[in-house]
Amino acid sequence: MAKSIQRFANPARFMALSGAVLPWAAAATALTLSIGLYLALIASPPDYQQGETVRMMYVHVPSAWLASAGYASMALACAVGLIWRHPLAFASAKAMAPLGAAFTFLALVTGALWGKPMWGAYWVWDARLTSVLVLFFIYLGYIALWEVIEDFGRAARATSVFCLAGAVNLPVIRFSVDWWNTLHQPASVARLDGPAIHSSILTPLLVMALGFTLLFVVLTLVRTRTEIMERRAASLEMQQAQAGMIVGAHNG
Amino acid sequence: MRAFWALVARDIKLAGRLGGGPFVGLGFFIIVVTMVPFGVGADLPLLSRIGPGVLWVAVLLATLLSLDRLFQADFEDGSLDLFLMSPLPVEMQVLAKCLAHWITNTVPLIIAMPAVAFLVNLETGIMLPLIVSLLVGTPSLSLIGALGAALTVGVRRGGLVLSLIVLPLYVPALIFGAAAGTGDLMGTPMLFLGAFSLASLALAPFAAAAALRISVS
């Protein structure tokens, strides 16, 4: 296991492999998303209670899924990076953070827009909404920490420690917010505890979730490749500057 | 253990002699609590209802204010490098720092609590659970804060990022603390609060020590 990770963690091998996979993955994403959008927006029936607003779900639920799955994969990459000291794992964690934050933001916004017709208010302090909001703040903290520490190696390891601390604390936050919410639950909020989801809604939902996940993977690959190329460019520039200095010293 | 207590004593002494000592944090805490009635109006029943929550939030902010100095001064004058090379485990050093921080920053707030509580018209019956909840819960603020301070040591404008990364992690402490501050002494929220403090006591020193080694390397 460790050995196979080592093999893929070679940046040159990663660049070659991801470059070959990327066009196909992007095509699969586009295909899945267009099928999913057709099923979700046109082919699926409106809900008998919620009407057309139920279609919000096909964007909201996949975003919320990626908000947490994105953080989980980020934490995994951070742990791999800390244990095996692989810059590639750190680079992929860094690449995933803004994507996860964006999907978390999408989940919050679509949740608020969906909440208006369903709950009568854009924002209610629902337990799920609240813990997703805290998750969003943790994403922001992770990104901000990357921004302020200049040295790549130091920033990579410091952000990873924070990411793992967040991963340990997130279940506790989730639990405390659930508990807090039952304590303060306003009576006016109607819950959406409907019957089990019918397959006419479940199929487009699953296709959309698959499409969103593929999109996340493709964008992560692209951003990781960019990160590697940027680092390579920076080190080339550094070499050039050093060579220039040596030449300059010889001439002067 | 002698080194541990020496470090605690040193940090307490330093905190007492540096720019106003504990009174800056205390003053900040009192001003924050004073600002609340200006914001929500001088409605005494309302104030006594939101009082425990307000006091908890104010304690949290006052703690946050002092966190960025936890390792920064030692980092700047180079003593942190020497600490990291000393035989006392870094985890224990973090623990000593947290203990000193808690004694110099949080304990004064808790001592002042009976006086400050008048500002928000706190019912006298709630005073005891509130103070116990602070005694039980605030150590976790210093401990988790030490992780944030260790991550941002030596970083320009580290204080801002520090609050961004630490505050979300404080959510459980605030939720259980504010609830325990209004409930009975051995109620569920108080037990959860104690569990949260103990868990951060067990985990945070290791994470903060790892972060310190990364930041200073």
Side-chain angles (χ1 to χ4, degrees):
Chain A
M1 174 68 188
K3 214 163 193 177
S4 66
I5 288 178
Q6 304 264 350
R7 207 151 53 82
F8 286 115
N10 177 333
R13 204 184 296 268
F14 169 79
M15 291 303 269
L17 196 66
S18 61
V21 166
L22 210 51
W24 298 99
T29 309
L31 191 67
T32 318
L33 273 181
S34 28
I35 294 174
L37 280 174
Y38 170 75
L39 287 177
L41 298 183
I42 298 163
S44 76
D47 187 74
Y48 78 102
Q49 268 182 330
Q50 302 185 25
E52 300 289 342
T53 47
V54 75
R55 302 193 193 283
M56 193 74 93
M57 179 181 72
Y58 301 118
V59 183
H60 176 72
V61 173
S63 307
W65 142 249
L66 276 178
S68 35
Y71 197 88
S73 23
M74 212 169 83
L76 189 69
C78 287
V80 169
L82 280 179
I83 294 167
W84 285 293
R85 297 283 162 107
H86 272 308
L88 191 60
F90 291 132
S92 67
K94 186 185 182 185
M96 278 185 247
L99 299 174
F103 280 117
T104 314
F105 184 69
L106 258 183
L108 286 169
V109 169
T110 51
L113 290 176
W114 197 11
K116 184 64 181 170
M118 288 301 107
W119 292 335
Y122 285 113
W123 186 265
V124 293
W125 288 93
D126 171 68
R128 241 176 251 184
L129 248 62
T130 311
S131 42
V132 170
L133 184 64
V134 177
L135 174 64
F136 183 61
F137 289 142
I138 292 182
Y139 270 119
L140 289 190
Y142 177 86
I143 296 169
L145 202 56
W146 261 110
E147 290 299 316
V148 293
I149 305 178
E150 276 154 24
D151 176 53
F152 179 87
R154 244 190 76 190
R157 282 181 293 149
T159 50
S160 297
V161 169
F162 173 65
C163 177
L164 291 180
V168 171
N169 207 350
L170 269 172
V172 185
I173 292 174
R174 183 66 216 272
F175 169 73
S176 68
V177 169
D178 269 344
W179 182 85
W180 163 80
N181 193 249
T182 49
L183 192 73
H184 297 275
Q185 181 73 55
S188 62
V189 174
R191 296 305 305 253
L192 301 170
D193 292 331
I197 303 178
H198 190 258
S199 65
S200 65
I201 287 179
L202 189 61
T203 315
L205 185 60
L206 287 179
V207 176
M208 283 300 279
L210 180 67
F212 269 54
T213 312
L214 281 171
L215 182 65
F216 183 84
V217 172
V218 165
L219 289 178
T220 303
L221 283 180
V222 171
R223 287 182 52 84
T224 312
R225 287 170 61 85
T226 314
E227 180 69 31
I228 291 173
M229 284 191 240
E230 261 177 11
R231 301 236 308 138
R232 210 174 272 170
S235 74
L236 280 178
E237 258 174 24
M238 191 79 89
Q239 275 175 10
Q240 223 164 27
Q242 270 173 353
M245 258 165 56
I246 293 166
V247 172
H250 276 293
N251 292 346
Chain B
M1 271 326 262
R2 259 185 54 214
F4 178 85
W5 292 113
L7 194 54
V8 174
R10 166 191 178 270
D11 268 30
I12 291 177
K13 202 181 277 180
L14 276 179
R17 290 183 185 168
L18 224 83
F23 297 106
V24 182
L26 185 59
F28 176 80
F29 168 68
I30 296 174
I31 287 180
V32 168
V33 177
T34 315
M35 289 294 146
V36 171
F38 292 134
V40 302
D43 179 4
L44 286 184
L46 174 70
L47 282 177
S48 72
R49 199 155 55 84
I50 63 174
V54 168
L55 292 171
W56 251 96
V57 171
V59 166
L60 208 132
L61 292 178
T63 308
L64 201 62
L65 194 68
S66 53
L67 273 180
D68 65 324
R69 301 306 296 169
L70 194 58
F71 301 111
Q72 192 68 30
D74 291 340
F75 175 75
E76 279 162 7
D77 66 13
S79 39
L80 194 58
D81 293 310
L82 297 178
F83 284 152
L84 292 187
M85 282 189 283
S86 82
L88 185 66
V90 184
E91 289 78 10
M92 290 299 279
Q93 295 176 27
V94 170
L95 216 51
K97 288 262 174 196
C98 289
L99 182 60
H101 175 262
W102 186 72
I103 291 173
T104 53
N105 284 286
T106 316
V107 170
L109 308 185
I110 299 178
I111 293 172
M113 200 57 69
V116 180
F118 280 116
L119 292 174
V120 289
N121 191 33
L122 204 73
E123 291 165 37
T124 29
I126 285 182
M127 184 60 73
L128 184 65
L130 178 69
I131 286 181
V132 173
S133 79
L134 285 168
L135 284 173
V136 171
T138 47
S140 72
L141 302 185
S142 293
L143 287 159
I144 296 174
L147 170 63
L151 285 172
T152 53
V153 79
V155 166
R156 267 179 286 145
R157 292 166 66 78
L160 270 178
V161 179
L162 175 63
S163 32
L164 193 59
I165 63 176
V166 160
L167 276 178
L169 303 181
Y170 278 175
V171 168
L174 180 61
I175 287 178
F176 294 131
T182 55
D184 49 4
L185 275 180
M186 288 305 281
T188 319
M190 193 70 86
L191 297 179
F192 278 136
L193 186 65
F196 186 72
S197 273
L198 288 175
S200 38
L201 180 67
L203 297 176
F206 293 97
L212 261 190
R213 289 196 199 95
I214 291 166
S215 292
V216 175
S217 64

